[in-house]
Amino acid sequence: MIVMKFGGTSVEDEEAIDRAARIVLRRLHERPVVVVSALAGVTDSLLAMSRAAASGRIQEALKSLRLLRRRHLAVLDALGKGPSDSVRHDVQTLLDSVQDMLRGVAALGELTPRTTDHILCAGELLSSRIVSAAVAQHGIDAALVDSRECIVTDANHTNAVPFFEWSDERLRQRLQPLLLAGRVPVMGGFLAATIDGIPTTLGRGGSDFSATIVGAALDAKRIEIWTDVEGMMTTDPRLCPHARRIDVIGFDEASELAYFGAKVLHPATLIPAIRKNIPVYVLSSRQPESKGTCIRARAPRSRTTFRAIAAKAGMKVVNVKSMRTLGANGFLRAVFEAFERHGCAADLVSTSEVSVSIVLNSSHPLDGLLGDLAKLGEVEVEEHKAIICLVGKDISGRAGIAASVFETIAAANINVHMISQGASEINIGFVIEEDDVPEAVRQLHQRFFEMKPSSRAARLPAGELGMQAFSQRISARTEVG
Ligand code: ADP
Ligand code: ASP
Ligand code: MG
C-alpha cells in the first residue's frame, strides 16, 4: 500500500480537488490511503475567528464563518450531482458546531489550546468529507475515516506528540480491513485525539506528519506528499526564483531542512518514515507527471557543496550572562534545566565560559522562563531574528566552507548575531535579522548553487580562513525539552 497526502493548495477548490481525485485514480492499483489538509487558508481563518471571538469580536468571527460556509458549499455545488445530501448535511453540521464553539469562546472571553484544537479540527474534517465525496465521483470506493479515532497523542494541545504504538495499532485495526476490501480510506491530516478522545492537532503543517504516521503503521511501500511546488528545492522558491528541484536527498539532510524552516515538510515528518525506512516523495499536484523529490536513507553525493538552504524567521535569541557562582558546568546545566522545565525547545545554542545564547521560536511565552533565568545571571532577549541553515552531508571536515559562507554574508553587508555548526556536522546555521533573510538566501544561493565550479574555486578563501577560524564561536546544536 501507499499513502498519498494532499496539502491545502492541492485541495483548495473544486478544480484542485478534482485533480487530486484523478491522481488517486491513477494509483488505485497500489492500494492508497489518502490524507488531506484543510482547503488552503482554512486553518488560518479558523484560528483568526477563534481569536476574534475570544477578544469580544463575535460578529467579525461569525462573518468569517459565513464566508467559510459559503466556500465549502460552493465547492460541493461545483462538484455537481455526485455528493449526496448527506455530505452537504455533514458539512453544515460541522460548521454549526464551529459556530457554537465560537459563541462559547466569546461568552467566556477565553480561548484555551484545548478549545483551539476543537475548532481547528473542523478544517480537516470538512476537507476529508468533501474529498472522499469527490474521489467517489470517479467510481472509487472511498471510505471516510476519522483520524481522531486512529491517531493517539499526548494532551499538548496545538502541538501534540503522537504515541506511535497506540496509533499503529488503531490505524492497522481501522485501515487494514478497508484496504483488504479494496476500498480507499480518506482521512484528515493534522488532527488526532488523546487516549480519552479529546481532539488534538499536530502543530501547523501537521498533515505531512499524519501521512508518515499512517505510512509507518501500515508499512507503506512509499509515502507521497503532493504539494504546490515541484519537489524539495535547493531553497524556498518564494525567496529565490532560481531554486532548483532536488532529485534525491537523504533522510538526515531533509530532516535538518524541515527542522530549520523548509515549510514543504512539517519538522517531524520524517521521524516515522526513518523508523520504518520508507521512502517519502514530494510531488507537484499541478504537474503530476514530474519526477519530484525522493527522500530516502541513502542519497548520491551532491554535486554542489550544500544540498539546500533553509530559513526560519520568527525567532528570539535569549542571552544569559553567568554570575560565575555556579562554575561553567553548573551554569549551563541550570540554564538547560530551566528550558526543560518550561517546555521550551532550543533551536541553536552557542556558549562561552561565562555566557550562553539560545535561539528559540518567538511564539513561545517566555515569562516563566525569563524569571528562572534571571536567577542565574543577566538576561537579555533579542527579537525579530531568523536562522539561516545550510545543509550538506559532504561539508564535514572540509576546510574553507564556513569561511566562504560568511564571506558571502559579509559582502552583502548582513550582520551575523550567532553561529553554530550542527552537532550532526551536516549543517552550518547562523542567526541574522529577520528582514535580512531574502537577501541572505539569494546571495548564498547564487554563491553555492548558481556559480560555475571554476568561479567558485576562485572565491574560496585561503586555507587559514577555513573552519578553524570560526571554531571558537561555533558550538553544537542542542535540543532541550
Ligand atoms: P502544503 O499546503 O501542500 O502542505 P506548504 O505551503 O505547507 O504546502 O509547503 C509548500 C511550500 O513550502 C512551498 O510553496 C514553498 O514556498 C515552501 N518551501 C520552503 N522551503 C522549501 C524547499 N526547500 N523546497 C520546496 N518548498 C519549500
Ligand atoms: N491545515 C493545517 C495547517 O494549515 C495542517 C496542514 O495543512 O498540514 O497548518
Ligand atoms: Mg504543509
Side-chain angles (χ1 to χ4, degrees):
M1 58 84 53
I2 61 168
V3 176
M4 305 177 76
K5 176 258 170 178
F6 293 91
T9 43
S10 302
V11 291
E12 65 187 344
D13 54 22
E14 59 279 5
E15 229 173 89
I17 291 174
D18 191 59
R19 215 165 30 228
R22 287 173 199 278
I23 294 172
V24 173
L25 191 61
R26 264 180 258 158
R27 300 275 206 266
L28 219 48
H29 60 285
E30 298 196 89
R31 297 192 298 144
V33 171
V34 176
V35 175
V36 291
S37 289
L39 276 56
V42 168
T43 309
D44 283 338
S45 152
L46 287 167
L47 202 54
M49 58 184 93
S50 308
R51 289 179 180 152
S55 47
R57 291 175 281 122
I58 183 67
Q59 290 313 324
E60 181 187 320
L62 294 179
K63 187 173 168 208
S64 304
L65 184 64
R66 279 197 293 280
L67 292 176
L68 210 66
R69 192 184 292 267
R70 214 175 293 156
R71 177 172 172 199
H72 284 87
L73 292 175
V75 169
L76 275 181
D77 284 341
L79 284 172
K81 287 196 291 302
S84 64
D85 287 345
S86 78
V87 182
R88 204 169 297 268
H89 177 260
D90 289 351
V91 165
Q92 294 279 26
T93 309
L94 275 166
L95 289 159
D96 290 344
S97 80
V98 173
Q99 183 167 319
D100 292 344
M101 286 187 275
L102 290 175
R103 287 194 193 281
V105 167
L108 293 171
E110 186 192 30
L111 179 67
T112 63
R114 179 170 156 154
T115 308
T116 305
D117 274 350
H118 263 284
I119 296 175
L120 292 191
C121 277
E124 270 72 8
L125 290 173
L126 288 162
S127 65
S128 53
R129 190 76 190 91
I130 295 174
V131 170
S132 70
V135 165
Q137 271 193 304
H138 286 271
I140 298 170
D141 190 2
L144 181 67
V145 172
D146 187 335
S147 304
R148 294 170 299 183
E149 292 166 9
C150 316
I151 300 183
V152 188
T153 68
D154 65 10
N156 184 16
H157 286 284
T158 72
N159 239 324
V161 178
F163 293 121
F164 290 116
E165 276 182 32
W166 283 335
S167 305
D168 285 358
E169 199 181 310
R170 289 195 185 186
L171 283 162
R172 283 188 209 121
Q173 270 175 10
R174 181 76 178 93
L175 299 179
Q176 265 166 353
L178 295 171
L179 290 170
L180 282 173
R183 305 190 67 188
V184 174
V186 178
M187 52 199 293
F190 183 51
L191 73 161
T194 64
I195 194 73
D196 304 318
I198 311 294
T200 55
T201 58
L202 302 175
R204 295 304 307 272
S207 299
D208 304 321
F209 194 18
S210 306
T212 54
I213 294 170
V214 173
L218 298 184
D219 292 306
K221 188 170 86 181
R222 165 172 102 243
I223 297 158
E224 297 179 345
I225 306 288
W226 291 88
T227 183
D228 61 350
V229 278
E230 273 182 84
M232 208 154 186
M233 320 275 284
T234 48
T235 192
D236 186 342
R238 285 183 212 192
L239 288 176
C240 176
H242 302 294
R244 297 196 302 256
R245 180 181 63 84
I246 300 167
D247 207 28
V248 183
I249 181 170
F251 280 139
D252 47 1
E253 291 170 317
S255 300
E256 295 279 329
L257 289 169
Y259 188 82
F260 283 107
K263 186 179 168 244
V264 65
L265 293 182
H266 176 281
T269 307
L270 296 173
I271 295 169
I274 292 170
R275 181 165 64 97
K276 291 287 186 78
N277 196 15
I278 301 171
V280 176
Y281 287 78
V282 180
L283 298 153
S284 161
S285 62
R286 297 214 175 102
Q287 297 163 264
E289 303 303 338
S290 72
K291 258 184 91 191
T293 298
C294 173
I295 308 169
R296 62 180 195 217
R298 283 179 199 286
R301 282 177 80 100
S302 159
R303 266 178 288 148
T304 46
T305 309
F306 293 104
R307 189 78 77 175
I309 308 169
K312 193 164 162 181
M315 309 302 293
K316 276 184 185 143
V317 181
V318 177
N319 300 306
V320 192
K321 213 158 154 197
S322 155
M323 291 187 289
R324 290 180 177 273
T325 46
L326 297 163
N329 290 340
F331 167 64
L332 284 180
R333 190 181 58 238
V335 168
F336 290 130
E337 278 171 358
F339 268 72
E340 194 169 358
R341 256 195 319 281
H342 293 279
C344 294
D347 282 344
L348 286 185
V349 180
S350 184
T351 63
S352 78
E353 182 123 11
V354 290
S355 69
V356 55
S357 298
I358 298 175
V359 187
L360 72 169
N361 199 303
S362 61
S363 62
H364 211 290
L366 291 188
D367 300 350
L369 172 69
L370 296 181
D372 277 5
L373 292 177
K375 294 176 198 150
L376 305 172
E378 231 175 84
V379 183
E380 184 197 20
V381 181
E382 299 171 64
E383 312 223 15
H384 307 296
K385 299 288 178 283
I387 299 177
I388 300 283
C389 180
L390 295 102
V391 175
K393 224 183 166 81
D394 304 325
I395 59 169
S396 157
R398 281 175 61 187
I401 292 174
S404 45
V405 168
F406 295 110
E407 184 198 34
T408 307
I409 289 300
N413 217 1
I414 292 171
N415 186 23
V416 174
H417 292 268
M418 187 174 148
I419 301 171
S420 159
Q421 188 185 7
S424 59
E425 294 205 356
I426 66 167
N427 74 43
I428 295 174
F430 58 94
V431 176
I432 57 172
E433 291 297 322
E434 229 168 36
D435 291 346
D436 288 332
V437 166
E439 183 61 12
V441 169
R442 270 196 300 272
Q443 293 296 335
L444 288 168
H445 195 272
Q446 189 181 43
R447 169 71 184 82
F448 290 101
F449 295 90
E450 297 164 40
M451 272 165 106
K452 294 206 178 69
S454 55
S455 46
R456 247 200 323 259
R459 292 193 61 187
L460 265 182
E464 67 269 20
L465 277 175
M467 286 296 279
Q468 292 81 351
F470 293 96
S471 61
Q472 286 153 349
R473 297 165 69 191
I474 289 174
S475 67
R477 194 190 104 215
T478 317
E479 268 186 66
V480 185

